[in-house]
């Protein structure tokens, strides 16, 4: 048991260092979400619900986007190229187990997200955001469940696809989720069928949970079910299909 904990902690530290010293990762995890928050809060070109300031609507969605960027895009691409350059093959020859590798990557993403939350919330407050605090405790399970879901998705792709295919797939999915999950404009502007379909994927439920946490909104039933289901199912899938090389 102590050996597993030691391996897990050492690998988590290494994964965190790799994430934070990569310029491309920093752009995806910090630059793009923060830039979008500032731009669309000042330049009012996106639709928002009636009497809602842009920053108040955008801030929870941008937090969800930060999770997607760190847990799926950044982690998926990094892991995909680690497989390509045979880094994971070498790790596979060590006592490190598959679940320990996945857990260490998830923990590194969580630690990165703590910094993301501080940055995004700080910028949003500076732009005039005044969140409600009645349901603020919902933010913790929302972030944990969202991280688990998108780490599982990112590693499922990185563990089976070629590195270039992982790069293309994660970026394409990032764009699709950005425009179809209620992150930057209200989900109710989409047809009802598309709304329901979006809430079966993890991005819209994560956004719903975060809006409930910061704005006091109600979480749709579909989102209450979908996010925990993805949080459990995606990492299980990743641990079963992940290949070291």
């Amino acid at each position: 048991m102590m050996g597993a904990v030691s391996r897990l902690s050492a690998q988590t530290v290494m994964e965190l260092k790799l994430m934070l010293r990569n310029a491309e990762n920093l752009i995806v995890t910090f630059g793009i979400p923060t830039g979008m928050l500032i731009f669309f809060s000042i330049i009012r070109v996106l639709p928002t619900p009636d009497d809602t300031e842009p920053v108040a609507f955008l801030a929870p969605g941008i937090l969800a986007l930060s999770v997607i960027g760190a847990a799926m895009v950044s982690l998926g691409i990094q892991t995909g190229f680690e497989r390509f350059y045979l880094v994971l093959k070498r790790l596979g020859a060590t006592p490190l187990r598959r679940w320990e590798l996945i857990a260490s990557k998830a923990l590194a993403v969580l630690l990165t997200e703590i910094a993301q939350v501080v940055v995004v919330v700080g910028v949003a407050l500076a732009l005039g955001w005044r969140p409600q605090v009645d349901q603020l405790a919902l933010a913790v399970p929302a972030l944990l469940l969202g991280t688990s879901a998108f780490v599982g998705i990112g590693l499922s792709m990185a563990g089976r696809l070629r590195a270039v295919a992982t790069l293309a797939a994660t970026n394409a999915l990032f764009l699709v989720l950005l425009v179809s999950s209620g992150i930057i404009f209200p989900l109710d502007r989409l047809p009802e069928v598309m709304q329901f379909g979006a809430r079966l994927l993890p991005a819209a439920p994560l956004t719903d949970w975060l809006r409930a946490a910061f704005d006091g909104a109600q979480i749709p039933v579909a989102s209450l079910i979908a996010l925990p289901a993805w949080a459990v199912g995606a990492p299980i899938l990743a641990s079963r299909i992940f290949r070291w090389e």
Side-chain angles (χ1 to χ4, degrees):
M1 182 64 182
M2 291 301 296
V5 172
S6 177
R7 291 193 301 269
L8 182 61
S9 60
Q11 189 63 27
T12 299
V13 171
M14 179 58 66
E15 295 291 342
L16 185 61
K17 288 179 179 178
L18 290 173
M19 290 189 71
L20 295 181
R21 73 184 185 189
N22 187 301
E24 290 83 358
N25 286 346
L26 294 178
I27 291 172
V28 171
T29 54
F30 291 94
I32 292 176
T34 305
M36 291 183 65
L37 176 63
I38 295 171
F39 180 83
F40 289 118
S41 295
I42 297 174
I43 311 298
R44 303 189 178 197
V45 295
L46 294 174
T48 59
D50 295 338
D51 301 322
T52 302
E53 288 294 318
V55 67
F57 175 78
L58 285 167
I62 293 299
L63 285 172
L65 187 67
S66 299
V67 172
I68 297 170
M72 184 184 74
V73 180
S74 178
L75 179 62
I77 293 172
Q78 175 183 312
T79 306
F81 279 95
E82 286 175 351
R83 287 180 70 236
F84 177 76
Y85 290 115
L86 303 182
V87 174
L88 297 187
K89 181 179 180 180
R90 296 185 180 94
L91 286 176
T94 71
L96 188 71
R97 296 170 183 169
R98 188 181 309 177
W99 74 265
E100 292 170 350
L101 174 67
I102 292 174
S104 66
K105 288 181 176 292
L107 288 172
V109 169
L110 273 174
L111 293 172
T112 302
E113 286 173 0
I114 293 173
Q116 286 180 300
V117 170
V118 171
V119 171
V120 171
V121 171
V123 170
L125 291 174
L127 291 169
W129 183 40
R130 296 297 178 264
Q132 299 182 23
V133 297
D134 296 346
Q135 300 183 132
L136 197 57
L138 274 175
V140 175
L143 292 171
L144 290 174
L145 291 172
T147 299
S148 177
F150 283 104
V151 164
I153 294 170
L155 291 181
S156 293
M157 289 189 285
R160 298 299 291 187
L161 302 176
R162 294 181 181 273
V164 176
T166 300
L167 173 65
T170 53
N171 280 308
L173 186 54
F174 180 80
L175 291 175
V176 169
L177 295 176
L178 172 64
V179 299
S180 66
S181 303
I183 291 174
I184 59 174
F185 62 85
L187 195 59
D188 60 14
R189 301 298 175 96
L190 298 175
E192 289 188 6
V193 173
M194 294 184 66
Q195 292 180 42
F196 182 76
R199 288 199 170 100
L200 294 179
L201 299 174
L206 173 58
T207 305
D208 287 337
W209 281 59
L210 288 172
R211 288 220 165 92
F214 291 105
D215 296 341
Q218 293 294 318
I219 305 175
V221 175
S223 295
L224 282 170
I225 298 171
L227 187 59
W230 277 99
V232 174
I236 291 175
L237 176 64
S239 66
R240 291 187 175 181
I241 69 173
F242 192 90
R243 295 187 303 185
W244 294 98
E245 58 180 303

